[in-house]
């Protein structure tokens, strides 16, 4: 239907018109009617495609609006958590506030992203912290399977580990639509994993890399550029909190309890 009808109707109209010109009497009338029917079919199919495209555009707009609305609702508690990080009076309060901010970011990534394109997608958001050439899994929310997210990545352990660490230290955002169809070169056993598309975003402030935030789904092509943008935003908010924690740790007016 996608490729046949756009060719079939115009071709039928041309052929019918040509054959009508070669014949006389009732046969010419029949071919003429065929040309009219084919021309009408071309017009009807064009209208159908326009309406289909319009409906798809409206559905995408509704999905974007729903995602934006969800993130707006999540924005207040997220910024409130960031505010508690910046106003913490003690090291203990600061650590607790950063933990709350991290949890909020992971929860929002899981609950608000990746839903508008494939509502049935089963998502998972994972947070890794970076320290001395090693990523350690801190928290994840979402899809529960027999295979949990990797606990750690260590630079030098494998080509895959090296690439994950390199990504964490870069400003790149890695987006894969389907791990089965277009896996990155450093991935092994792609079809044995519980997810298909994923987004990996470095959590960075200035030139400092703090961690890695990822979102994955069990349905291919269920994560979009809109989700990428919102994951980048969440990573930026978290990076602001982590940068403040790092700076405050060196300030003497925040006493250690």
């Amino acid at each position: 239907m996608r490729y046949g009808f756009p060719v079939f109707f115009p071709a039928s109209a041309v052929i019918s018109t040509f054959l009508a010109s070669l014949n006389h009497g009732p046969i010419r009338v029949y071919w003429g009617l065929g040309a009219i029917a084919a021309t009408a079919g071309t017009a009807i199919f064009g209208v159908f495609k326009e309406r289909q495209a319009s409906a798809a555009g409206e559905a995408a707009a509704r999905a974007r609006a729903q995602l934006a609305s969800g993130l707006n609702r999540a924005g207040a508690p997220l910024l409130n958590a960031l505010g508690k990080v910046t106003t913490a009076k003690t090291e203990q309060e600061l650590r607790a506030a950063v933990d709350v901010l991290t949890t909020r970011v992971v929860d929002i990534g899981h609950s608000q992203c990746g839903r508008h394109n494939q509502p049935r997608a089963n998502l998972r958001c994972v947070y890794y912290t970076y320290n001395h050439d090693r990523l350690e899994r801190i928290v994840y929310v979402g899809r529960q399977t027999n295979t949990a997210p990797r606990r750690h990545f260590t630079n030098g352990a494998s080509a895959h580990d090296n690439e994950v660490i390199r990504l964490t230290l870069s400003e790149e955002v890695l987006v894969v639509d389907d791990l089965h169809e277009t896996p990155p070169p450093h991935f092994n056993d792609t079809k044995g994993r519980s997810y298909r598309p994923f987004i990996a975003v470095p959590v960075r402030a200035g030139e400092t890399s703090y961690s890695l935030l990822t979102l994955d789904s069990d349905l291919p092509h269920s994560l979009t550029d809109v989700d990428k943008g919102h994951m980048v935003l969440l990573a930026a908010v978290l990076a602001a909190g982590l940068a403040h924690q790092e700076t405050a740790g060196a300030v003497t007016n925040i006493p250690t309890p």
Side-chain angles (χ1 to χ4, degrees):
M1 181 175 178
R2 182 178 178 182
Y3 300 107
F5 284 172
V7 175
F8 172 76
F9 284 124
S12 298
V14 171
I15 293 172
S16 297
T17 301
F18 174 73
L19 292 175
S21 67
L22 296 180
N23 289 278
H24 301 279
I27 297 179
R28 181 172 186 174
V29 173
Y30 296 149
W31 281 118
L33 292 174
I36 293 172
T39 302
T42 301
I44 292 170
F45 184 75
V47 171
F48 169 77
K49 293 297 290 183
E50 287 180 6
R51 290 185 176 179
Q52 191 179 51
S54 176
E58 291 175 0
R62 286 195 301 270
R64 286 193 295 270
Q66 289 171 359
L67 178 59
S69 176
L71 288 169
N72 284 339
R73 291 192 299 271
L78 182 64
L79 294 179
N80 182 57
L82 180 60
K84 290 185 181 300
V85 171
T86 61
T87 57
K89 301 300 182 183
T90 67
E91 184 179 346
Q92 184 178 11
E93 287 182 5
L94 182 57
R95 286 198 304 268
V98 169
D99 288 344
V100 171
L101 176 63
T102 302
T103 302
R104 289 270 170 84
V105 165
V106 174
D107 284 340
I108 292 170
H110 166 254
S111 63
Q112 301 300 330
C113 296
R115 306 289 180 181
H116 55 290
N117 196 35
Q118 293 279 4
R120 296 182 180 179
N122 196 349
L123 286 93
R124 179 177 62 186
C125 191
V126 190
Y127 175 71
Y128 294 89
T129 188
Y130 175 74
N131 188 26
H132 300 301
D133 283 343
R134 185 179 175 89
L135 279 172
E136 294 282 352
R137 189 188 77 206
I138 301 301
V139 62
Y140 73 97
V141 176
R143 190 176 64 258
Q144 300 292 324
T145 65
N146 293 330
T147 305
R150 279 274 299 269
R151 287 188 175 276
H152 57 77
F153 297 87
T154 304
N155 197 32
S158 68
H160 181 56
D161 285 44
N162 292 347
E163 183 62 19
V164 173
I165 298 295
R166 186 201 66 78
L167 176 67
T168 303
L169 299 178
S170 75
E171 296 181 352
E172 298 176 20
V173 176
L174 179 60
V175 180
V176 175
D177 288 331
D178 189 350
L179 199 58
H180 290 188
E181 294 179 358
T182 56
H186 55 89
F187 267 81
N188 298 318
D189 187 29
T190 56
K191 293 187 178 181
R193 299 175 186 267
S194 66
Y195 57 93
R196 301 283 291 271
F198 70 89
I199 300 171
V201 185
V203 179
R204 287 172 54 89
E207 298 299 319
T208 305
S209 297
Y210 294 102
S211 46
L212 185 70
L213 187 65
T214 70
L215 179 71
D216 62 63
S217 169
D218 62 338
L219 295 182
H221 311 292
S222 55
L223 303 178
T224 68
D225 284 341
V226 175
D227 299 311
K228 172 187 172 182
H230 288 304
M231 288 296 291
V232 169
L233 175 62
L234 291 172
V237 172
L238 181 54
L242 294 170
H244 177 80
Q245 182 184 32
E246 182 180 55
T247 302
V251 177
T252 56
N253 64 353
I254 298 185
T256 302

